[in-house]
Amino acid sequence: MKVSQLYAPTLREVPAEAEIISHQMLMRAGFIRKTAGGMYTYLPLAQRVMKKIENIVREEMDAKGAQEILMPITQPAELWQESGRWGAYGAEMWRLKDRHGREFCLGPTHEEVVTALVRDEVRSYRQLPLMLYQIQNKYRDERRPRFGLIRSREFVMKDCYSFDRDEAGLDVSYNAMYDAYSRVFDRCGLNYRPVEADSGAIGGSGSHEFMALAETGEAELVYCTKCDYAADVEKAELHVIKAEPEVALPKEEVSTPDCKTIEDVCKYLRLPVEKSVKAVAFHSEKGLILCFVRGDHEVNEIKVVNTAGVLEVAMAEEAELAAAGTAGGYMGPCGIDHKKAIVIVDSTVMEMHNFCCGANKAGYHFVNVNPGRDFTPTYVADIRLIQAGDPCPHCGAPVAHARGTEVGQVFKLFTKYSAPMGARFLDEEGKEKPIVMGCYGIGVGRTMQAVAEQYNDKDGMMWPRAVAPYEVIVLPMNTKDEKSTAKAFEIYDELLKAGIETVIDDRNERAGVKFKDADLIGYPLRVVCGPKGLEKNQLEIKIRRIGEVKMLSLEGDYIGEIKEILAKL
Ligand code: ATP
Ligand code: MG
């Protein structure tokens, strides 16, 4: 490809809405353009990267025996009514009607369509296991589309579905997909962590998210500094901390004027914070939920939602607290009427002795409170939010905190869709059973941008070769110099013949402009051919990612040398 003909319009001014570096770079370098909010056109350079990622995904899916299909984007409402999600999916779903008034949606995901497909065709255990996938546009009317391709409203996703006879079969499929995903993201060059995830709205239990590490990531995670453990903070389990045994002292009410926070109370009473318990109050559809954790711990809302079995929680109002016989800033687990509030106490609190907590009236706390003797919770559960430095639940080493962007997710669905939608098979004994399913997604555009987010410097992007739009750019230093320009074209032809994806910057521009554009677009290798080099029979090559410059002799096998260098990028 000649750069003079390449449709990659560069921008000097990046629109203010491009908040993160990868979005800015993809806009500046002429990879993508916004068509509407959360809808993008992929220009030729981006389209080449997308195709490379798709091909990596295809190879890894095929290697696990998954078969590629293509389902319609437009899906009938009836299927979603069968699974019960037509109402549940909410405003994220793009809904439309045909000329007869029948309802459809633009697929945000394809569990319903694929389950309906399989239920009509699969009858016997002999047809299982089965894995089907597709690569296609998905539609989600996101509340807050942002960060370019990271959270858009139309995006390319690879979605795969597995069908097995039983849970043991599902485990095999799930592990195969987990392995395929690791290979995909390794090949894309991403620094990522597979983390144990909350299964969320899609349902089922047993799920991992593949998180590309990024400061700008929306997800918060923790990973062990020693072993492989990593988890979404929402999901991370925590060990109960056992306190040394103590003789239970008599509970006492003490006045704590002007002590609003637990730190104030501990300071006033001269108690270590590990001897205190603090409260967080939530409002839910089941009423007030009072949660208690050790003074230096935080409450994990997701765990609260799961423990109480509610849909969602919001901060409780003072009036609600008063109605339950307590007061903001002075809440404690003692004497709360379980009919007026759900009391959830963190498992670690249940191991504490002689601690201090609110006395449920303004200006007072209790000291020497002991679980069992002084209060009984509605639920005892692990509701703590994991923090950096907490011990790893697998090996005990301290965990570290990171942010990430979810590029893929694997789910065990079990029979969540097959049971209500009647996707059944006959087992060896002729007994009818629901098919056991899994689903597996990768965001192709999000992966491309996650790579750009990890591979850039002040001058532009630095694509790993496997996903680079082109591998090499040949740069004639001075197009007015016929001899060296002719040589540059000769090298360009040789590289193409050797099967190397190459562009030549044939534009009649100053060398500085060409260098800048090449750096911005991020070709892995730059080959410069100019009059001075030619005099010495030399070619200058530069590896974009490490900035290393090398001279190659035009008398040697420079194409072979370039190939060798590329193999390592
Ligand atoms: P998120 O939590 O980020 O909204 P999700 O969990 O809803 O994503 P899945 O249903 O698991 O997403 O979809 C599979 C993959 O599709 C995700 O891992 C992600 O890579 C990609 N994806 C999901 N939503 C978007 C979006 N709005 N824009 C771009 N890619 C997306
Ligand atoms: Mg997900």
Side-chain angles (χ1 to χ4, degrees), residues 236-257:
E237 317 140 35
L238 279 156
H239 281 320
V240 177
I241 303 170
K242 295 232 190 281
E244 291 296 315
E246 276 177 37
V247 177
L249 302 173
K251 186 178 89 174
E252 249 182 85
E253 188 180 284
V254 290
S255 156
T256 47

Side-chain angles (χ1 to χ4, degrees), residues 103 139 146 187 202 254 293 327 380 387 389 416-417 423 473 486:
E103 287 190 293
Y139 296 81
R146 59 179 192 157
R187 288 178 65 183
I202 288 193
V254 290
V293 291
V380 174
Q387 287 163 319
K416 182 175 158 80
Y417 296 92
I473 179 164

Side-chain angles (χ1 to χ4, degrees), residues 115-163:
T115 306
L117 175 82
V118 166
R119 80 171 161 202
D120 293 337
E121 314 288 348
V122 170
R123 298 261 170 267
S124 154
Y125 69 91
R126 288 190 197 88
Q127 291 162 281
L128 301 174
L130 176 67
M131 287 199 274
L132 300 172
Y133 77 96
Q134 61 173 354
I135 300 176
Q136 183 198 49
N137 282 8
K138 292 280 185 280
Y139 296 81
R140 293 182 188 178
D141 194 0
E142 298 273 358
R143 192 162 51 93
R144 226 185 130 199
R146 59 179 192 157
F147 300 156
L149 305 179
I150 298 276
R151 187 166 297 286
S152 47
R153 299 197 293 168
E154 175 180 287
F155 56 96
V156 179
M157 195 206 284
K158 184 285 304 180
D159 46 326
C160 180
Y161 306 89
S162 67
F163 305 88

Side-chain angles (χ1 to χ4, degrees), residues 377-411:
T378 325
Y379 301 102
V380 174
D382 164 26
I383 54 163
R384 226 175 105 192
L385 187 68
I386 198 164
Q387 287 163 319
D390 269 324
C392 164
H394 289 184
C395 78
V399 297
H401 184 269
R403 300 194 74 89
T405 300
E406 180 200 314
V407 282
Q409 184 159 19
V410 290
F411 274 98

Side-chain angles (χ1 to χ4, degrees), residues 140 197-199 202 207-211 406-411 441 446:
R140 293 182 188 178
D198 193 75
S199 304
I202 288 193
S207 170
H208 284 86
E209 286 170 343
F210 286 76
M211 294 288 186
E406 180 200 314
V407 282
Q409 184 159 19
V410 290
F411 274 98
R446 195 184 272 190

Side-chain angles (χ1 to χ4, degrees), residues 278-421:
K278 73 176 174 194
V280 183
F282 295 106
H283 170 79
S284 77
E285 78 271 12
K286 287 190 183 168
L288 183 66
I289 305 176
L290 298 178
C291 302
F292 297 95
V293 291
R294 201 170 81 177
D296 54 337
H297 293 163
E298 299 299 329
V299 171
N300 181 330
E301 269 188 42
I302 301 286
K303 290 181 180 177
V304 171
V305 165
N306 292 339
T307 306
V310 295
L311 288 174
E312 55 180 9
V313 292
M315 281 298 147
E317 306 272 326
E318 193 64 44
E320 229 178 333
L321 299 180
T326 184
Y330 299 93
M331 293 179 275
C334 306
I336 296 287
D337 181 351
H338 288 201
K339 288 194 207 82
K340 292 191 178 146
I342 298 171
V343 177
I344 307 180
V345 176
D346 183 59
S347 315
T348 289
V349 172
M350 296 306 283
E351 298 294 327
M352 292 166 64
H353 315 285
N354 299 320
F355 61 76
C356 142
C357 62
N360 295 317
K361 63 178 177 187
Y364 292 90
H365 279 78
F366 287 131
V367 290
N368 299 332
V369 174
N370 287 280
R373 184 190 73 182
D374 299 327
F375 64 91
T376 354
T378 325
Y379 301 102
V380 174
D382 164 26
I383 54 163
R384 226 175 105 192
L385 187 68
I386 198 164
Q387 287 163 319
D390 269 324
C392 164
H394 289 184
C395 78
V399 297
H401 184 269
R403 300 194 74 89
T405 300
E406 180 200 314
V407 282
Q409 184 159 19
V410 290
F411 274 98
K412 288 184 184 175
L413 293 170
F414 300 98
T415 58
K416 182 175 158 80
Y417 296 92
S418 54
M421 295 186 69

